[in-house]
């Protein structure tokens, strides 16, 4: 029994010694959520909304108590962040068109020992200014080219969207709220006639810009590509 107790004491002393020998640290990461999955970056530029998560990833914490401070701020305003959080892992969605910097300070304490980690290079997230353009013509003839009337590729930072299609007599034929989709040239399951129709789109950009687009569009099925 004596030797068993001595072994426990030695094991405890060895564990405590190792605890003091291993210095706590953090390895912060920024993960961006995209349509294709996730990507880990230190700086990111894209179309709002941009969803991101931030992790402190502490190592060798041992008996130390950790205190985390995440700050989000615009350039030149590190001392006046617009958001402060104290969890080891946080999530945030960037909805405005601007550049935001994200930094982490971690403080580890154990008795009279205090270790401070300040992130040398903050992460940054930049959301594009909003852009939205609409074509004049589409050709829903089944050739898999320009068969759907939708906004042009390259739109950026659109956070609200609503589109409508009317005929020349003002009858609503189609409406949609998913900016990635559009009108296939049908009404009630049947092809509409070739001709001129009218598009009305209302949208809002992440920078607050309002889009109100009203224009005539040409539906041409007999289009023959050279």
């Amino acid at each position: 029994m004596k030797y068993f107790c001595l072994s426990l004491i030695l094991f405890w002393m060895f564990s405590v010694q190792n605890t003091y020998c291993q210095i706590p640290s953090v390895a912060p990461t920024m993960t961006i959520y995209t349509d294709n999955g996730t990507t880990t970056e230190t700086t990111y530029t894209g179309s709002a909304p941009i969803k991101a998560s931030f992790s402190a990833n502490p190592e060798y914490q041992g008996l130390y108590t950790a205190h985390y401070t995440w700050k989000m701020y615009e350039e030149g305003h590190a001392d006046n962040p617009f958001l402060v959080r104290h969890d080891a892992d946080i999530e945030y969605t960037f909805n405005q068109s601007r550049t935001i910097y994200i930094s982490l300070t971690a403080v580890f304490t154990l008795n009279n020992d205090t270790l401070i980690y300040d992130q040398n290079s903050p992460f940054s997230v930049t959301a594009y200014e909003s852009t939205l353009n609409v074509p004049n013509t589409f050709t829903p003839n089944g050739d898999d080219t320009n068969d759907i009337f939708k906004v042009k590729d390259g739109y950026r930072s659109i956070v609200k969207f609503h589109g409508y299609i009317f005929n020349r007599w003002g009858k609503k034929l189609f409406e949609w709220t998913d900016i990635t989709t559009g009108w296939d040239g049908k009404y009630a399951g049947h092809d509409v006639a070739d001709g001129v129709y009218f598009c009305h789109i209302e949208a809002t950009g992440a920078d607050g810009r309002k889009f109100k687009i009203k224009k005539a569009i040409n539906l041409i099925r007999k289009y023959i590509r050279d």
Side-chain angles (χ1 to χ4, degrees):
M1 182 66 180
K2 181 189 298 183
Y3 294 107
F4 176 73
C5 292
L6 179 61
S7 297
L8 287 178
I9 293 172
L10 291 174
F11 176 77
W12 177 81
M13 292 177 63
F14 178 77
S15 298
V16 171
Q17 184 179 14
N18 276 354
T19 298
Y20 278 94
C21 289
Q22 292 177 327
I23 299 176
S25 64
V26 291
T29 56
M30 176 175 73
T31 300
I32 303 295
Y33 297 83
T34 69
D35 293 338
N36 298 320
T38 60
T39 178
T40 301
E41 306 285 352
T42 57
T43 181
Y44 182 81
T45 300
S47 182
I50 301 170
K51 181 181 178 182
S53 64
F54 303 86
S55 299
N57 300 310
E59 296 179 327
Y60 309 122
Q61 182 174 336
L63 299 179
Y64 283 82
T65 299
H67 304 273
Y68 303 103
T69 302
W70 291 96
K71 295 181 180 180
M72 296 190 183
Y73 54 91
E74 294 184 76
E75 186 174 6
H77 296 277
D79 295 330
N80 186 30
F82 69 87
L83 182 69
V84 177
R85 291 187 179 174
H86 297 287
D87 296 317
D89 303 318
I90 65 172
E91 289 189 350
Y92 190 79
T93 300
F94 300 86
N95 288 311
Q96 298 183 31
S97 295
R98 55 180 178 171
T99 297
I100 297 299
Y101 297 90
I102 308 94
S103 66
L104 170 67
T105 299
V107 179
F108 296 93
T109 58
L110 177 61
N111 299 326
N112 294 325
D113 292 334
T114 300
L115 301 173
I116 300 176
Y117 171 92
D118 277 316
Q119 189 174 357
N120 292 326
S121 299
F123 301 121
S124 68
V125 175
T126 301
Y128 290 124
E129 293 184 357
S130 58
T131 302
L132 179 64
N133 292 292
V134 179
N136 297 314
T137 302
F138 77 119
T139 57
N141 54 15
D143 65 354
D144 294 326
T145 301
N146 200 27
D147 282 337
I148 302 294
F149 176 81
K150 58 182 182 179
V151 302
K152 291 183 178 181
D153 292 340
Y155 61 86
R156 292 177 170 177
S157 297
I158 302 300
V159 294
K160 291 183 180 179
F161 177 88
H162 205 143
Y164 307 84
I165 301 295
F166 300 91
N167 64 15
R168 66 180 62 194
W169 296 281
K171 180 179 179 61
K172 184 175 70 176
L173 305 180
F174 182 75
E175 69 177 292
W176 73 111
T177 56
D178 181 351
I179 196 171
T180 65
T181 64
W183 183 40
D184 62 0
K186 297 180 183 293
Y187 176 70
H190 301 285
D191 291 342
V192 300
D194 286 22
V196 177
Y197 295 84
F198 297 90
C199 165
H200 179 194
I201 288 177
E202 296 181 352
T204 302
D207 47 5
R209 181 181 177 186
K210 301 292 185 180
F211 295 86
K212 291 187 177 181
I213 300 173
K214 294 182 178 181
K215 65 185 303 182
I217 58 174
N218 297 295
L219 186 159
I220 306 173
R221 285 198 178 82
K222 297 179 180 179
Y223 173 78
I224 300 176
R225 182 173 297 276
D226 294 334

